[in-house]
Amino acid sequence: MSQLLEGKTVLILGVANKWSIAYAIAEACKREGGKVLLTYQGERQQRTVEDLGADVGASMVLNCDVTRDEEIGTLVEQLKAAGVTLDCVVHSIAFANREDLSRPFQQTSRAGFGLALDVSAYSLVAVSNALAPLMPNGGSILTLSYLGAVRVVPNYNVMGVAKAALEACVRYLANEMGAANIRVNAISAGPIKTASARGIKDFSKVLDGVAALAPLKRVTDPAEVADTAVFLASHLGRGVTGNVLYVDAGFQVMGLLGA
Ligand code: NAD
């Protein structure tokens, strides 16, 4: 059987450990014959991500803190120097201060608001603009969002505002980059137990609620998100851009919960 990403090169930003959604995406891209490149956020993660990179046969594992323009620039230079062209970029990155994911939203500080929006939304713009020249044949840029962008999810707070901005960025980028045949989409994933998710107060209650109430009566498996990422990266996704695709066991369609 032919593989969906044969001949395609996929750069994945956001692997921190083997539970990262980005790692599930890397595994699925490898399975489908894609050439995988990974980035990590600073020296602290380097060893772990290099080891995970070896597991998915990553041809390069490079540093990039997306809040630093110079590190995004260095990443581009390293890719250019290696003669890399990209078909797909996966942005699987978010951050907010822990206290902003537990105290009332109205107490969010100016600095905490700026930080969450910078890391979790603006970075998609910066990375897309920097990497587009490495996508001469067009391709797919993908980011990860969550229902908190459009509904109130307790404790998600400033991250919900950041995801709303991220989803708007997807639409504006899709419009501008479409002429270069670059498609830009988000997957809105159901809650998944990862390091980032553990920072959200009472996250296990969210998981229990989804398992009980979602149409599929279970939570989302990261492999399901990864398979949708493969679809979007592949020829099969060629008509899809500017979209937010829900991969959430159907939870987002529910109105009256528990009825
Ligand atoms: P994760 O903690 O494994 O991944 C988050 C990644 O963001 C880490 O690799 C971290 O290093 C990276 N990151 C944070 N700040 C960075 C910076 N300044 N520069 C570079 N990288 C930085 O958790 P995850 O759940 O896999 O999160 C991946 C994405 O999926 C995030 O955008 C998250 O909001 C989104 N998402 C997660 C869930 C969930 O329930 N886990 C649901 C929907 C969407």
Side-chain angles (χ1 to χ4, degrees):
M1 207 172 84
S2 73
Q3 292 171 300
L4 287 168
L5 299 183
E6 222 173 288
K8 292 197 190 291
T9 302
V10 185
L11 175 67
I12 301 175
L13 300 91
V15 174
N17 52 53
K18 67 178 175 186
W19 296 279
S20 294
I21 294 172
Y23 185 62
I25 295 174
E27 286 184 307
C29 290
K30 183 196 178 202
R31 182 195 73 217
E32 294 299 333
K35 181 173 161 188
V36 173
L37 288 72
L38 302 180
T39 69
Y40 56 88
Q41 179 197 0
E43 248 173 52
R44 201 172 38 86
Q45 285 183 355
Q46 181 172 2
R47 184 67 196 275
T48 308
V49 181
E50 281 176 351
D51 288 349
L52 292 171
D55 292 344
V56 293
S59 50
M60 295 178 88
V61 179
L62 300 165
N63 178 52
C64 185
D65 180 327
V66 294
T67 60
R68 297 171 189 266
D69 287 336
E70 65 279 12
E71 292 196 12
I72 296 175
T74 303
L75 171 69
V76 171
E77 289 315 314
Q78 287 171 316
L79 293 171
K80 272 190 191 158
V84 171
T85 57
L86 299 172
D87 302 287
C88 179
V89 175
V90 177
H91 170 280
S92 187
I93 288 174
F95 184 78
N97 287 326
R98 212 182 172 95
E99 68 261 26
D100 288 329
L101 303 173
S102 56
R103 66 183 173 190
F105 172 66
Q106 67 191 44
Q107 291 173 14
T108 307
S109 67
R110 194 181 296 274
F113 191 98
L115 176 68
L117 273 281
D118 185 21
V119 178
S120 316
Y122 175 70
S123 66
L124 177 71
V125 180
V127 160
S128 299
N129 188 47
L131 293 173
L134 298 181
M135 303 174 80
N137 306 314
S140 164
I141 296 176
L142 171 67
T143 189
L144 273 298
S145 192
Y146 177 58
L147 184 65
V150 291
R151 308 271 166 75
V152 174
V153 177
N155 298 318
Y156 202 60
N157 298 358
V158 71
M159 191 53 79
V161 177
K163 293 300 192 193
L166 180 72
E167 292 183 6
C169 290
V170 163
R171 292 185 282 274
Y172 279 89
L173 290 169
N175 179 46
E176 286 184 0
M177 301 180 97
N181 196 29
I182 297 175
R183 297 176 290 107
V184 187
N185 293 287
I187 294 176
S188 185
I192 293 169
K193 220 185 266 180
T194 63
S196 289
R198 274 195 289 272
I200 302 162
K201 190 180 165 210
D202 292 336
F203 181 73
S204 58
K205 285 189 191 161
V206 176
L207 285 173
D208 292 346
V210 168
L213 302 168
L216 294 180
K217 304 295 174 220
R218 59 173 177 79
V219 293
T220 299
D221 179 347
E224 298 167 344
V225 177
D227 284 348
T228 305
V230 166
F231 155 71
L232 287 169
S234 77
H235 181 69
L236 299 183
R238 65 195 177 281
V240 184
T241 194
N243 244 291
V244 179
L245 275 78
Y246 284 83
V247 181
D248 68 341
F251 186 77
Q252 63 101 14
V253 304
M254 299 304 291
L256 193 56
L257 293 172

